[in-house]
Amino acid sequence: MADAKVIPFDDDRSRGSRGAGSRRRGSAAESAPVGEGPGGEVQPLPVRGAAAQDPAAEPEEPEGPKEPDESPGARPTTEGGVEDGGLERRVAAGLSFLRRRLTGDYEVDDFGYDAELTDQVLMSLLRPMYEKYFRVEVKGVENIPAQGGALIVANHSGTLPLDGLMMQVAVHDRHPADRHLRLLAADLVFVLPVVNELARKLGHTLACAEDAERLLAQGELVGVMPEGFKGIGKPFGERYKLQRFGRGGFVSTALRQGVPIVPCSIVGAEEIYPMIGNSKTLARLLGFPYFPLTPTFPWLGPLGAVPLPTKWTIQFGEPIPTDGYAPEAAEDPVLMFNLTDQVREQIQHTLYKLLVQRRSVFF
């Protein structure tokens, strides 16, 4: 047997290869296949393409590792892909937040609204329910003015007022101008322990004309649900049928301040607690406007208080301007009735449209 020749691997060349079966790109003489000619001479086989036309072409350099991006927008990362120093910054920010809380070095407005606590803590607690549990889809957020006061009027439902909280998260997270929504809440909210303090911190205030006008005059977004307890406590058989919108007080408030009215329609909240009954006796004993009976509550105890994971849609409609009316228009009952009916009809029509488009209660 003839002695076999051992051909050593070129370390530098092997690094340029992309795999065991791939070839390193080079000159025609290096990459051309070879064959045995007459007399046992090894001759290169014909090569087609650019390499055959230019035999003196320089070999291509193998691709090496890319240089790190040093552009101004590039962020240095660690080996795990986490932003370099990001953890340290978050820890430092958290410690600074705790220090301000402990020393009282933070601000609240005249209504008790704590902007820092809302942004850093309370919204973070509500966001998983908004994004993961109810999977809220928001439409028409561009209809909310980027600046100045505006009154957002929405339908109310769901046995517990979670729809107001989800609407507040929607405005906070989705509006391009990072606006905050100040909700007008019922008296009951401000007599309940713990709930009272949290509502104030979130920016809620009493549902009265004086507070609403002060907030609108300061250029705030104010949210109101005129159905009140009649809407949130209605039976499941009347779902998505709007109740009476009070006496139109929200319209009078908007007219006095000359701010637009933005109708808002919420689909999905009606099914989180299907209210099949109302224990009026327990409601009177506890001082509640109603005591809901659902397929799970109170039969399953605390577990029955867990809402069903329905799919929500929140749509903000086109604003209705009020700055074209004279100041005395706020005292015109006919005008208030017509504007109230216009807002109510727009919300109801949008609810029906969203219900037709909805594929499923849960998906």
Side-chain angles (χ1 to χ4, degrees):
M1 178 182 297
D3 294 338
K5 294 182 179 179
V6 179
I7 303 176
F9 288 97
D10 189 333
D11 292 339
D12 293 335
R13 294 181 181 180
S14 62
R15 294 192 193 101
S17 62
R18 297 186 178 180
S22 63
R23 289 195 182 100
R24 183 179 65 87
R25 290 180 295 177
S27 63
E30 294 173 343
S31 61
V34 296
E36 187 175 344
E41 297 178 358
V42 179
Q43 297 180 352
L45 295 177
V47 181
R48 299 177 182 178
Q53 297 174 3
D54 187 7
E58 296 182 358
E60 298 180 5
E61 293 295 333
E63 294 183 357
K66 294 182 178 180
E67 294 294 332
D69 186 6
E70 298 181 356
S71 59
R75 297 182 179 180
T77 57
T78 62
E79 293 182 359
V82 182
E83 184 178 348
D84 187 21
L87 179 60
E88 291 80 359
R89 283 196 295 272
R90 288 195 293 269
V91 171
L95 292 175
S96 177
F97 174 79
L98 291 176
R99 180 187 59 79
R100 290 192 298 273
R101 293 284 123 184
L102 294 174
T103 59
D105 186 19
Y106 59 90
E107 296 181 357
V108 296
D109 68 4
D110 295 338
F111 299 92
Y113 173 52
D114 191 332
E116 183 184 45
L117 183 67
T118 297
D119 291 340
Q120 300 293 332
V121 178
L122 300 181
M123 283 297 164
S124 298
L125 295 176
L126 292 172
R127 196 167 288 119
M129 179 177 288
Y130 170 88
E131 294 179 348
K132 305 298 182 183
Y133 198 78
F134 293 135
R135 296 146 291 149
V136 181
E137 179 183 359
V138 180
K139 300 180 179 180
V141 72
E142 65 278 359
N143 289 321
I144 300 175
Q147 58 185 359
L151 188 65
I152 299 180
V153 183
N155 60 305
H156 206 14
S157 63
T159 306
L160 290 181
L162 297 180
D163 51 358
L165 296 176
M166 295 300 102
M167 182 172 65
Q168 192 173 8
V169 178
V171 174
H172 182 275
D173 287 2
R174 296 299 184 89
H175 197 279
D178 298 328
R179 302 209 64 180
H180 297 265
L181 179 64
R182 309 291 294 272
L183 289 174
L184 303 181
D187 301 1
L188 180 61
V189 173
F190 300 103
V191 299
L192 296 175
V194 181
V195 175
N196 169 33
E197 187 67 19
L198 290 176
R200 288 291 185 185
K201 296 294 186 182
L202 272 167
H204 303 177
T205 189
L206 195 63
C208 63
E210 292 77 10
D211 286 0
E213 289 186 21
R214 283 182 60 193
L215 288 171
L216 291 172
Q218 295 172 10
E220 299 281 358
L221 288 179
V222 178
V224 61
M225 296 175 164
E227 291 178 282
F229 290 123
K230 299 188 301 295
I232 196 174
K234 63 177 177 286
F236 187 67
E238 298 180 12
R239 60 191 180 277
Y240 298 114
K241 295 179 181 178
L242 294 183
Q243 305 298 303
R244 183 171 173 267
F245 267 24
R247 300 178 180 177
F250 69 93
V251 171
S252 176
T253 301
L255 286 170
R256 286 192 181 94
Q257 296 299 320
V259 298
I261 300 173
V262 181
C264 177
S265 303
I266 304 174
V267 166
E270 293 275 15
E271 295 89 0
I272 60 173
Y273 296 112
M275 187 170 167
I276 57 177
N278 178 20
S279 177
K280 296 182 179 180
T281 302
L282 286 175
R284 283 196 300 270
L285 290 175
L286 297 174
F288 295 159
Y290 56 88
F291 188 88
L293 302 175
T294 74
T296 59
F297 183 82
W299 330 114
L300 299 182
L303 185 61
V306 177
L308 296 178
T310 58
K311 175 72 170 63
W312 287 35
T313 301
I314 299 178
Q315 179 162 337
F316 299 97
E318 295 185 4
I320 300 173
T322 64
D323 55 353
Y325 297 96
E328 59 272 14
E331 308 300 330
D332 186 349
V334 176
L335 176 61
M336 284 197 300
F337 174 81
N338 290 336
L339 286 177
T340 301
D341 190 59
Q342 180 183 352
V343 174
R344 186 180 181 278
E345 288 300 319
Q346 187 168 336
I347 294 174
Q348 184 70 81
H349 177 73
T350 304
L351 286 175
Y352 288 148
K353 183 175 66 175
L354 292 175
L355 289 171
V356 170
Q357 297 172 353
R358 184 170 67 168
R359 296 177 301 172
S360 168
V361 173
F362 300 100
F363 304 101

